[in-house]
Amino acid sequence: RDPGLFAQVKSSWTTRSGTASSDLVFVPKSGPVTARTLTLNPNGTTFLGLWQGNTPLARGRDYTVSGNQVTLTAAALTRLVGNRAYGVNATIQARFSCGVPWQVNVISDDTPVLSDANGSTSSYTVPTQFRGDVLATMEARYADGSNAGPANWTSYQQFNSAFTPGYADNTLGLTADFFNAVTDNAPVTLTFHFWSGATVTYHVTRSGTSVTGTTS
């Protein structure tokens, strides 16, 4: 289901591939565009440069290299994001002397916005404007700071088991399994962590089979 991952695995049967510290570069929807740096892991290969499709980016103008740090310049990012529409505006590759190129998506984003919602423990979704961002994980805690949810040994809950993003319909879903492990009438503070570094808090309270969610 993930062709990029399979290509990495298949390539590793016979050779090495280089990677980078992330495959996402976020540029704010508005405000100044600044340079962004990724750390390369050549993994025994040699870094050849950055490409957009079949077009090489210009070293020195579009990006600079210092040791294993590659920095995309503000000018290059401004060109890559274009009108800064939310989401992926460009995909570039870090190419190495062998193996599979490392793909990097250049994304325009703002802090996601969640809205109040009522629902049931069997089907509960939070109206969410992702605004180009990508969900990384979710924490759940009671008012006293203790952990809430099925993974009660940690505040971090399991992706797709306790929660799941719905990018196509602008929702964040909380599962029945999550609410089955939540104490009745005990408010839970959720902290959603996004790959841009943004965090957004939300509050849910289960009362029987009903759920109330608020942003404050």
Side-chain angles (χ1 to χ4, degrees), residues 45-57:
T45 71
T46 301
F47 175 64
L48 300 180
L50 299 178
W51 268 257
Q52 184 182 17
N54 294 322
T55 303
L57 273 63

Side-chain angles (χ1 to χ4, degrees), residues 117-177:
N118 296 322
S120 70
T121 55
S122 62
S123 178
Y124 183 78
T125 57
V126 182
T128 304
Q129 299 174 48
F130 289 97
R131 306 211 293 179
D133 217 333
V134 183
L135 184 64
T137 190
M138 181 191 82
E139 292 185 83
R141 290 189 176 94
Y142 292 111
D144 63 2
S146 60
N147 303 324
N152 58 13
W153 51 274
T154 176
S155 62
Y156 291 92
Q157 299 304 302
Q158 186 174 350
F159 210 106
N160 287 336
S161 177
F163 67 97
T164 187
Y167 298 108
D169 56 4
N170 298 309
T171 59
L172 280 169
L174 300 177
T175 67
D177 287 344

Side-chain angles (χ1 to χ4, degrees), residues 95-114:
R95 296 187 183 180
F96 299 85
S97 55
C98 60
V100 177
W102 183 256
Q103 302 244 69
V104 178
N105 287 327
V106 182
I107 297 171
S108 290
D109 74 300
D110 268 328
T111 301
V113 175
L114 280 56

Side-chain angles (χ1 to χ4, degrees), residues 86-97:
Y86 285 134
V88 178
N89 285 305
T91 299
I92 60 176
Q93 292 181 340
R95 296 187 183 180
F96 299 85
S97 55

